[in-house]
Amino acid sequence: MNAFEAVFLAHTAAPSGAELATLRLVSAMPAGSTAVVYTEDGPMLRLMAERGIETRVVRNGFDSRAMTIDKAGVRSLLVGATGLLRLGWTLGATVRELEATVLVAGSTKAMLMGAVAARRAGVPLVWHVHDRVSRDYFGRALALIIRVLGWVVARGVIANSRGTLASLYTWGRRAVVAYPGVEFPAGDESVEFAGDSGIFGDARPQGQRPATETVIAVVGRLAPWKGQDLFLRALADVKTLPREVFLVGGTFFDEQSYRAELEMHATALGLPVTFTGHVDDPESYLRHADILVHCSVLPEPFGQVVVEGMRAGCAVIATRPGGPEEIIDPGVNGLLVTAGNRAELTRALDRLIADRELRAKLADAARLRSRDFDVAASARTVTDFLTGLPGKRWRRG
C-alpha cells in the first residue's frame, strides 16, 4: 500500500466548484502523494478514479446537507456540528490507515470533521478555504465562530483568493493564496494564440459573431446568489437580443424551485434561453459562446468559470467586488460590473453585443491572462506550502 503525504477531506462528492478545483489540484500534484476521502458516494469518486487518484468513502448515516446555513436554526447547527465531530473520529482511522502526514479539509464542514480526524491520526490539519467567511454568506455571528474555529484547529490555511484570505483569522498561522487553476495541455504554449481553429476546435468558426448572431453563456450552479434571475431581467432590456443563451449548471441542496422560477422568467420575457442542467465539463459551451457572463450578486470567492471562459476565448463580463477583481483588468481582458446592478449589466451586454471588434480584442487578451492561472503553478504553491509545515517531508518526483 502506498503511503500518502497529503489526504484531502471532502464532505460532499457532488461536482460543484470546490470539488472540481480539488480534482484539478490533486491531479497536478506529485504522483502518488495525494489521496481524497469523501463522506458520501457521488460523481466525484468516478472523476477521481478516471485520473488515477486514490479515493476512499467513509459511509455514515449523517446528512451534512441538513446543516445548510440558510435552512437550519442555531440548535440544528449545534446538533449537526456534534454529528460532524463524531464522524471525524471515524475518519481519523482512515487518515491513519492512509499514513498521511497532513490532512487538508476542503470546506467548513470538512474542517470540523478534520479537526477530530487529524487529532486522532496525529497529523496537522490545513484548512483549504473556498468560501469567503463573511456575514454575506454566514451571518455575523456564525462567520465569527467559523473564523475562530479555523484559527484554533488548523495549523495552516490555503485560500482560493486574496479576498478569501482577508476574511479569515491567520495570526501566527501559515497561510498562502493558491488560485483554483485551469488545465492546459502539457507543453502547449499556443493556447492564447490558437484562435478559433486551434486547440479549442472550431466551435466558433467565424470568430466573434455579428450582433444578431451572438451567443452568450452563463455557467454555474443555479442558485439565487449566483444571480441568474438578475441576468435574465438585464438581458430582457438589451437593444439587440443574442441568438442563443445557455444557462449551464445544475441545482443542488433543494434549489430545483429556483430553476423553475428561471424557466418561467425566460419564457415570460421571450428570451432565447436553453437550460442545460449539470454538465461535467462546460468547455464545449464556452468554446461555442461569444460572451461569458458571471453575474453573482454576492462577492464571489474566486470565480473559476471566469478563467475558464477567458481560456476558451470568450469576452467576459463579471461582477465585483470579489474574486473576479483579481482576475480581470477592466477594459483590457474583460468587463466588470457592480454585483446586483441590473442597469450596469444591461449596459455591459449592450456594449459587447454591439461591438464585435471589442469582443475580439478582450477575448484575445483574456486568453493571454488565463495563462497566469495554470493549475500546475497552483499545485507547486500548495506542494511547497505543505512541505514547509513544521515536521513535514514531501516526496518529490
Side-chain angles (χ1 to χ4, degrees):
M1 181 182 67
N2 290 332
F4 292 94
E5 298 285 349
V7 169
F8 288 74
L9 175 62
H11 79 275
T12 176
S16 55
E19 286 66 45
L20 293 171
T22 301
L23 171 70
R24 294 192 296 270
L25 175 65
V26 298
S27 298
M29 291 175 70
S33 295
T34 59
V36 184
V37 175
Y38 294 97
T39 60
E40 65 175 20
D41 207 343
M44 288 307 305
L45 276 82
R46 172 181 59 82
L47 296 176
M48 288 283 179
E50 288 174 353
R51 296 183 178 222
I53 305 298
E54 174 79 6
T55 60
R56 298 289 180 87
V57 181
V58 177
R59 291 180 171 81
N60 60 93
F62 176 71
D63 182 7
S64 68
R65 295 181 184 182
M67 283 187 68
T68 302
I69 299 302
D70 58 355
K71 296 177 182 175
V74 173
R75 184 175 182 278
S76 295
L77 288 172
L78 290 174
V79 171
T82 301
L84 287 176
L85 295 176
R86 289 173 179 164
L87 178 54
W89 183 255
T90 303
L91 287 164
T94 300
V95 174
R96 190 164 54 192
E97 178 187 342
L98 287 167
E99 301 182 24
T101 59
V102 59
L103 179 63
V104 183
S107 66
T108 301
K109 293 172 184 176
M111 180 261 288
L112 289 172
M113 295 184 286
V116 178
R119 182 66 177 260
R120 184 178 185 189
V123 300
L125 177 70
V126 169
W127 186 19
H128 193 175
V129 190
H130 299 271
D131 296 312
R132 293 165 63 99
V133 184
S134 64
R135 61 184 299 180
D136 292 335
Y137 292 89
F138 297 97
R140 185 193 299 272
L142 189 55
L144 176 61
I145 292 170
I146 293 171
R147 289 189 203 111
V148 171
L149 278 174
W151 180 78
V152 170
V153 303
R155 183 81 59 84
V157 170
I158 302 168
N160 68 348
S161 69
R162 295 194 301 271
T164 295
L165 185 61
S167 73
L168 307 172
Y169 294 153
T170 58
W171 311 306
R173 298 290 184 265
R174 288 175 51 81
V176 70
V177 172
Y179 290 119
V182 294
E183 294 172 322
F184 293 88
D188 192 327
E189 300 298 329
S190 63
V191 169
E192 58 267 36
F193 305 109
D196 302 302
S197 60
I199 193 169
F200 293 118
D202 59 357
R204 202 185 296 115
Q206 286 81 38
Q208 289 287 329
R209 300 177 179 90
T212 56
E213 296 297 308
T214 304
V215 176
I216 296 176
V218 180
V219 179
R221 172 181 148 199
L222 301 184
W225 79 272
K226 289 290 189 179
Q228 289 96 346
D229 57 328
L230 181 126
F231 164 74
L232 294 178
R233 294 196 299 272
L235 183 66
D237 294 335
V238 299
K239 296 172 184 175
T240 303
L241 273 178
R243 189 188 77 202
E244 292 179 294
V245 177
F246 293 96
L247 261 60
V248 183
T251 54
F252 299 107
F253 311 121
D254 302 320
E255 290 166 345
Q256 291 84 356
S257 61
Y258 182 64
R259 170 171 173 158
E261 178 186 330
L262 294 174
E263 291 174 333
M264 183 175 62
H265 282 324
T267 299
L269 295 169
L271 301 175
V273 177
T274 298
F275 292 81
T276 70
H278 171 75
V279 296
D280 283 342
D281 185 355
E283 186 175 333
S284 60
Y285 290 97
L286 294 172
R287 287 190 286 110
H288 183 62
D290 300 283
I291 300 169
L292 169 72
V293 177
H294 162 279
C295 46
S296 295
V297 296
L298 295 178
E300 185 76 43
F302 177 64
Q304 297 175 61
V305 71
V306 172
V307 178
E308 291 168 354
M310 296 169 86
R311 179 190 61 179
C314 294
V316 178
I317 300 172
T319 58
R320 61 183 170 199
E325 289 184 295
E326 300 178 35
I327 303 169
I328 290 176
D329 186 358
V332 175
N333 46 41
L335 300 180
L336 290 174
V337 298
T338 303
N341 191 315
R342 172 180 164 184
E344 268 191 54
L345 181 53
T346 296
R347 287 195 294 271
L349 286 165
D350 274 332
R351 183 181 176 191
L352 287 191
I353 291 171
D355 195 335
R356 186 178 182 181
E357 291 186 3
L358 176 61
R359 277 187 266 132
K361 174 187 171 183
L362 295 176
D364 286 346
R367 286 193 183 99
L368 285 168
R369 174 59 173 152
S370 71
R371 273 288 179 186
D372 295 333
F373 299 95
D374 191 328
V375 71
S378 299
R380 287 192 295 272
T381 296
V382 171
T383 299
D384 290 344
F385 178 78
L386 297 177
T387 301
L389 285 174
K392 301 281 87 59
R393 300 186 308 277
W394 191 270
R395 293 194 312 277
R396 299 285 182 174

